[in-house]
């Protein structure tokens, strides 16, 4: 007479392949099934293959930048701001030079002294050098920060439309040369931002740049 396994007093046979009555292991590569009585974890619904994924909604409070999908362009500078910044920069660069030239012409008309003429000529040369140096300084500021002195005063900035980065000195110089396109048809390119959707001049369109508000 056999009393069976002392660890199994009820005489039940353990499951096949698992000694001692332990639960059967799932084959390798097959996820284990939850035990009876344990709560099931909800699974997120899966999109059928081939259906487009739902886009992530934009984060609230984040301003758009040029070239960022779904974000759109930031507020663009209007024509008055651009014209005001240009006139202010022109006054800073060329104003002293023209002022000295006017004083020199007025002084030479009433005096024939060679010493005074030489002095005014030297002063005129200094102002010309100032204008050249200030012009390059303005290009450097526009390329590195997006703002000349005039643009900063008017609260606007020029950036690359594709990615919102600053132009760099070289590209800012190329854009300045491209303004020639704005003047060849009766200066129509300078007026183009008045009705253009992106408020761009011809030079902006060629160089893929936009002028935006920064304050």
């Amino acid at each position: 007479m056999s009393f069976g396994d002392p660890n199994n007093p009820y005489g039940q046979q353990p499951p096949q392949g698992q000694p001692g009555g332990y639960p059967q292991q799932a084959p390798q590569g097959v996820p284990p099934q939850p035990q009876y009585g344990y709560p099931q974890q909800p699974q997120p619904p899966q999109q059928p293959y081939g259906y487009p994924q739902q886009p992530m909604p934009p984060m609230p409070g984040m301003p758009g930048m040029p070239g960022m999908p779904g974000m759109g362009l930031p507020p663009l500078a209007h024509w008055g701001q651009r014209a005001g910044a240009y006139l202010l920069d022109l006054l800073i660069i060329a104003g002293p030079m023209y002022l000295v030239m006017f004083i020199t012409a007025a002084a030479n008309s009433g005096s024939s002294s060679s010493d005074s003429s030489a002095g005014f000529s030297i002063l005129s040369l200094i102002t010309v050098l100032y204008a050249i140096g200030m012009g390059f300084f303005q290009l450097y500021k526009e390329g590195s920060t997006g703002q000349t002195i005039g643009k900063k005063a008017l609260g606007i900035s020029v950036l690359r439309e594709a990615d919102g980065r600053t132009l760099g000195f070289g590209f800012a110089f190329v854009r300045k040369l491209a303004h020639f396109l704005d003047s060849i048809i009766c200066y129509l390119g300078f007026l183009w931002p008045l009705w253009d959707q992106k408020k761009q001049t011809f030079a902006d369109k060629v160089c893929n740049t936009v002028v935006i508000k920064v304050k």
Side-chain angles (χ1 to χ4, degrees), residues 70-148:
M71 302 296 286
L73 288 172
L76 299 171
H78 57 72
W79 186 86
Q81 288 178 301
R82 298 185 62 160
Y86 174 79
L87 292 176
L88 183 56
D89 287 334
L90 184 63
L91 181 64
I92 292 172
I93 294 173
M97 180 181 66
Y98 284 111
L99 179 62
V100 170
M101 287 183 176
F102 175 77
I103 296 174
T104 301
N108 287 338
S109 63
S111 175
S112 60
S113 172
S114 59
D115 291 340
S116 61
S117 298
F120 281 118
S121 297
I122 294 174
L123 187 58
S124 298
L125 177 62
I126 291 175
T127 57
V128 170
L129 293 177
Y130 159 82
I132 295 173
M134 179 57 69
F136 278 100
F137 174 75
Q138 293 274 58
L139 277 175
Y140 166 75
K141 293 293 290 182
E142 187 175 60
S144 58
T145 66
Q147 294 179 305
T148 60

